[in-house]
Amino acid sequence: MTERVSQRRVALVISSTVVAVLLLHYLGALRPVERVIVRALLPVGRWTASWLNPTARTSSREATARVAALGQRIAELNVENAQLRSAFEAVTEADEQDRFLATHQFEGVTARIVTRSADPTSEFITVDRGARTGVRHDAPAIVAGGVIVGRVIAVTDDDARVLLSTDNRSSFTGVSLKTPTAQGVITGARGLSLTMELIPQSESITPGDIIVTSGVDSSVPRGLVLGEIDRIEKQDGALFQSASLRPLYQSARLDVITILTVAR
Amino acid sequence: MRRLVPIALLVLALLATLFITPNLQPRLFSTGLLVPALLFTLLLGDTLLALRGAVVSGFVMDLFSALPFGSHLLAYVLTVAVTRWIFRTRITNRSLLAYLSLVGLGSLLAHLLLLISSHLGRLIDSRAISVALSGPWITFVVTDTFRTMILAILIYALVRLSGRRYVTLTAHEF
């Protein structure tokens, strides 16, 4: 009898604790505690990621140079965006693009990868920049060359989770750089590659074509590089064709990324 | 002193699961490090420590996860609770086979509970992602469970070498 009472007491305490933790989290009451824990563990994650990732063993001078190169690339992308915009002046949604570019500005926040998803069937990374530095939900993340690696799916004050473009749940709208009318939806394929679907059958695309973001998604500017066409799948009589894309980054070697922010 | 080893094991398992194993190529052990650590603590007779460990490790894992908050917390606590119930009512000996069966079952249960709790959590937080039920996920769960059981054999061997004994659960453990 005593044993049963003790067991019930323990079960009650533990289940109450779990419910209380969940409730307090979603009410925001646990935020200070969570912040302390995350800030305490972030340096451990940064150090471990650097130690285990061979591409991350760079000196601070090299890291500074890479940051500067990324900043320059962002400036080049702005110019390229302006050029692409002028090339699409005849298209009806050009006015919407002009409005978007006029009302939004973006800057980059450099972030270091702290850890990756523990589950290898999920492709997301945790970085050491959060809302305090301007990171917002849905913000795109890029690496050198303007290659988009994913977008922010969760953000706290001090860190953020970025879902990589190769994850099955990732989705972008893209367009061929060579054939601007060849648009489609790009989704991740099992953490290894990308798939572009719903490409009109009438559009001509070839292996090697570079696919960039189309700008249809308001949080992702046009012109960020998604990947390169590797293989095309066409069926006679079908309305659409699809293509397999090779991402231009290696998720295992990611170390420093830039998250584009939106100025308020 | 008696609790020092399981506490140290839990802390190391948590840090390794968060920061070491995800960065290794190829990927080794996922939840497979925390589950044997929690069940090892449970089978040493310290149910309360195992449950507290499940709460703390689940909470910290949720802080660094893109799954809905609470997914890992619920999965680990329920895994320890269900495994304890099986240990009390179904396991009659302390053999390696009994331990391996519990660890294998615990690993499968943890993955399944994570899948369910992540989907339930999306009802509250729709922006979070959930575990995707797919062929690769099933393959991963099976291989991770197998790796977890191999790790459990190592832990069992180490404990036997050090002369510790597993104890059956009795009332005084509470």
Side-chain angles (χ1 to χ4, degrees):
Chain A
M1 183 66 181
T2 311
E3 181 185 339
R4 205 172 291 173
V5 168
S6 294
Q7 286 176 28
R8 280 188 193 154
R9 195 183 306 145
V10 168
L12 190 64
V13 167
I14 293 296
S15 47
S16 303
T17 305
V18 170
V19 169
V21 166
L22 292 174
L23 209 60
L24 289 172
H25 168 82
Y26 283 108
L27 288 174
L30 277 182
R31 209 165 287 162
V33 175
E34 293 169 6
R35 204 177 294 144
V36 167
I37 295 172
V38 168
R39 283 186 192 172
L41 290 176
L42 275 178
V44 177
R46 264 196 296 265
W47 178 81
T48 316
S50 299
W51 183 63
L52 289 170
N53 187 346
T55 60
R57 293 187 192 126
T58 57
S59 66
S60 60
R61 198 176 299 169
E62 287 174 84
T64 306
R66 283 167 72 183
V67 166
L70 277 171
Q72 189 179 345
R73 181 58 186 158
I74 289 172
E76 288 170 9
L77 281 170
N78 281 334
V79 171
E80 194 176 323
N81 267 343
Q83 289 170 343
L84 279 171
R85 184 184 53 186
S86 67
F88 278 92
E89 273 176 0
V91 183
T92 54
E93 66 259 20
D95 286 342
E96 289 179 13
Q97 289 290 340
D98 283 343
R99 249 196 313 276
F100 166 74
L101 289 172
T103 55
H104 291 88
Q105 295 176 357
F106 59 89
E107 301 175 339
V109 174
T110 305
R112 204 169 186 111
I113 291 168
V114 172
T115 187
R116 301 163 197 276
S117 54
D119 172 7
T121 61
S122 291
E123 292 286 316
F124 70 83
I125 53 177
T126 301
V127 296
D128 63 352
R129 291 289 180 265
R132 283 191 312 133
T133 50
V135 175
R136 297 286 176 262
H137 189 267
D138 266 352
I142 66 171
V143 290
V147 175
I148 183 168
V149 298
R151 72 168 96 199
V152 175
I153 56 166
V155 58
T156 66
D157 287 343
D158 298 296
D159 65 4
R161 245 74 68 208
V162 174
L163 187 70
L164 297 180
S165 59
T166 50
D167 187 277
N168 290 358
R169 291 156 288 207
S170 174
S171 176
F172 292 95
T173 51
V175 64
S176 166
L177 205 53
K178 204 171 71 178
T179 314
T181 48
Q183 299 191 27
V185 176
I186 291 88
T187 55
R190 299 186 177 182
L192 298 171
S193 64
L194 304 166
T195 304
M196 186 173 180
E197 293 171 318
L198 303 177
I199 310 165
Q201 185 83 276
S202 56
E203 300 301 335
S204 172
I205 51 172
T206 53
D209 283 357
I210 297 295
I211 304 298
V212 298
T213 51
S214 63
V216 169
D217 190 338
S218 61
S219 59
V220 181
R222 174 178 276 168
L224 301 177
V225 179
L226 280 160
E228 182 183 36
I229 292 181
D230 186 33
R231 203 172 61 248
I232 299 165
E233 287 160 21
K234 266 185 178 182
Q235 281 181 356
D236 290 336
L239 282 174
F240 300 105
Q241 57 185 317
S242 61
S244 172
L245 308 184
R246 187 173 61 84
L248 299 181
Y249 68 92
Q250 289 182 329
S251 59
R253 299 178 80 84
L254 286 175
D255 173 47
V256 176
I257 62 173
T258 298
I259 299 174
L260 301 186
T261 56
V262 175
R264 295 187 179 277
Chain B
M1 190 60 193
R2 181 173 176 261
R3 287 186 157 183
L4 200 59
V5 169
I7 289 174
L9 192 68
L10 284 170
V11 170
L12 286 173
L14 177 61
L15 291 176
T17 305
L18 270 175
F19 301 125
I20 296 178
T21 54
N23 285 307
L24 294 175
Q25 294 297 330
R27 294 280 189 95
L28 304 171
F29 300 108
S30 166
T31 55
L33 280 176
L34 275 170
V35 168
L38 288 169
L39 296 181
F40 171 72
T41 307
L42 178 71
L43 295 173
L44 276 182
D46 205 335
T47 304
L48 214 46
L49 181 61
L51 285 168
R52 285 172 182 161
V55 170
V56 172
S57 55
F59 179 73
V60 177
M61 285 293 291
D62 280 330
L63 288 179
F64 288 91
S65 171
L67 300 181
F69 186 88
S71 302
H72 290 90
L73 178 62
L74 285 170
Y76 292 160
V77 169
L78 287 172
T79 297
V80 170
V82 171
T83 311
R84 182 191 174 279
W85 177 80
I86 294 172
F87 186 61
R88 269 188 75 87
T89 58
R90 299 281 181 265
I91 304 293
T92 55
N93 61 67
R94 290 171 280 166
S95 67
L96 174 61
L97 190 62
Y99 175 47
L100 280 183
S101 307
L102 277 174
V103 169
L105 188 71
S107 177
L108 284 171
L109 197 60
H111 283 295
L112 193 62
L113 286 169
L114 201 58
L115 172 76
I116 295 168
S117 57
S118 68
H119 280 274
L120 287 175
R122 283 207 72 208
L123 296 173
I124 303 170
D125 183 5
S126 59
R127 298 194 304 186
I129 62 172
S130 55
V131 175
L133 179 61
S134 60
W137 179 80
I138 294 171
T139 307
F140 159 66
V141 167
V142 169
T143 52
D144 192 55
T145 300
F146 183 64
R147 284 191 295 254
T148 303
M149 289 168 78
I150 293 174
L151 181 66
I153 294 173
L154 292 173
I155 295 174
Y156 184 88
L158 280 170
V159 168
R160 296 293 283 186
L161 279 172
S162 71
R164 296 294 299 273
R165 294 283 183 269
Y166 293 121
V167 298
T168 52
L169 296 175
T170 55
H172 78 266
E173 291 302 329
F174 295 113

